[in-house]
Amino acid sequence: NQAVSVGIATGAFHLSNTELGQIVASGGLTVGSSIAGDLTVTGVSSANSDAVGTLALVTTKAGKSVTFKLSASVFHKGITVQAAGGITLSESATLGSSPSVLNAGAGSFTVEGSVALSTSGQNLLITADDVNLQALSSVNTGAGSIAIHASTQGRLIGVGATTREFHLSDAELGLFASTSGLSVGDSRSGSVTVHGVTAANTASLGQLVLVATRGGSEVSFAGAASIITNGITARAAAGVTVSQDVTS
C-alpha cells in the first residue's frame, strides 16, 4: 500500500528523474504493482525517459489512482498506465514516439482545466468508467487515432446532452483533436445514445465512430438533432435507431 512517486516530487517509494535516466531497458520499465498505493508523476523529462521502452505505471489495488501533478511531464516514448481507481492529469503530459494506453479502471479519466495531453501524433487508447474533461483542457493526438472504451461491461454511454453512466458531453467532445478520428465504445460496452452533438465540437475530429457490438446493445440518435462535421460510422449488435436529424 506504499505510495509511489516518479519524477521530481518525493514519496514513500521515489524514482527520481535522475534515477530514471540511469535505467536502460529497451524492453520497457514497469513502476508499481497490484499492491502499490497511489502513484504520482511529476516533471518527468524526455531526456531521462529515452533509454527505456514503454514505461508502464501500475497501481491496480482497489481504489488506487495515478495522478500527473505539480510540473508537466514529457515522455520520450508512449506510456501505459493501469490504475484501479482513476487517472487524473493536474499538469500537462506529452507522450512520445509510440502508442499510449491509459486504463483508469473503475474510476474516471480526468483532465483538469487548462491542462493538455498530447501524444505527438501517436494512437491513444483510453479505458475508464467515465471521462471528465474540464474547461480549456485538451487531448490532442494529431494524426493518431483516439479510442475510448468503458471499463465495466455493459456500461451505457451518452454522447452529447443525454447523461448516461459513461457520459461524453458535447463540450468535452470539442476538447479532443484527432485527424484520424475518435472511436467511442467497443464490444463490451452497452448501448450508445447520441443527443445534440454540434458541428463546432466535432470539427477537430476526423470520423466519429460509435461502437455498441455487445449483444443487445444499440446506437440511437435521440433528443435533438446532431451535426457531425467529418463523417460518422455506427456499429451496433441490436441496430441503429435515428429518431432525430443527423447531418454529416
Side-chain angles (χ1 to χ4, degrees):
N1 200 38
Q2 191 173 52
V4 177
S5 64
V6 180
I8 297 170
T10 60
F13 179 97
H14 181 217
L15 179 65
S16 72
N17 237 331
T18 301
E19 290 170 327
L20 181 61
Q22 293 170 336
I23 297 173
V24 178
S26 60
L29 171 66
T30 298
V31 180
S33 69
S34 61
I35 60 172
D38 293 323
L39 194 155
T40 60
V41 182
T42 306
V44 170
S45 69
S46 178
N48 284 318
S49 59
D50 64 349
V52 299
T54 299
L55 176 62
L57 306 171
V58 180
T59 179
T60 51
K61 186 175 181 180
K64 300 306 178 182
S65 62
V66 174
T67 303
F68 297 76
K69 66 179 187 177
L70 298 179
S71 180
S73 291
V74 180
F75 298 89
H76 189 77
K77 301 179 180 69
I79 63 173
T80 295
V81 179
Q82 294 175 274
I87 298 171
T88 298
L89 274 75
S90 299
E91 283 289 347
S92 297
T94 301
L95 313 180
S97 58
S98 56
S100 290
V101 176
L102 308 180
N103 189 331
S108 295
F109 172 73
T110 299
V111 184
E112 294 186 352
S114 302
V115 170
L117 173 63
S118 170
T119 69
S120 307
Q122 298 295 319
N123 295 345
L124 174 65
L125 171 61
I126 299 169
T127 303
D129 265 355
D130 200 8
V131 172
N132 178 15
L133 269 60
Q134 299 177 8
L136 303 179
S137 65
S138 64
V139 177
N140 190 328
T141 62
S145 64
I146 304 171
I148 304 176
H149 302 163
S151 295
T152 300
Q153 188 168 332
R155 197 164 182 85
L156 301 177
I157 298 175
V159 180
T162 295
T163 301
R164 292 287 188 259
E165 297 165 326
F166 182 109
H167 183 214
L168 181 62
S169 72
D170 185 55
E172 289 174 321
L173 198 61
L175 300 174
F176 289 95
S178 167
T179 59
S180 292
L182 171 67
S183 175
V184 180
D186 66 354
S187 60
R188 299 177 70 254
S189 302
S191 295
V192 178
T193 301
V194 182
H195 177 176
V197 169
T198 63
N201 285 323
T202 56
S204 61
L205 298 170
Q207 190 175 68
L208 178 63
V209 179
L210 306 169
V211 182
T213 50
R214 182 175 182 265
S217 297
E218 64 176 357
V219 173
S220 60
F221 296 85
S226 290
I227 303 174
I228 294 136
T229 304
N230 295 312
I232 185 168
T233 295
R235 298 195 297 269
V240 177
T241 301
V242 180
S243 55
Q244 294 289 334
D245 291 343
V246 179
T247 304
S248 176

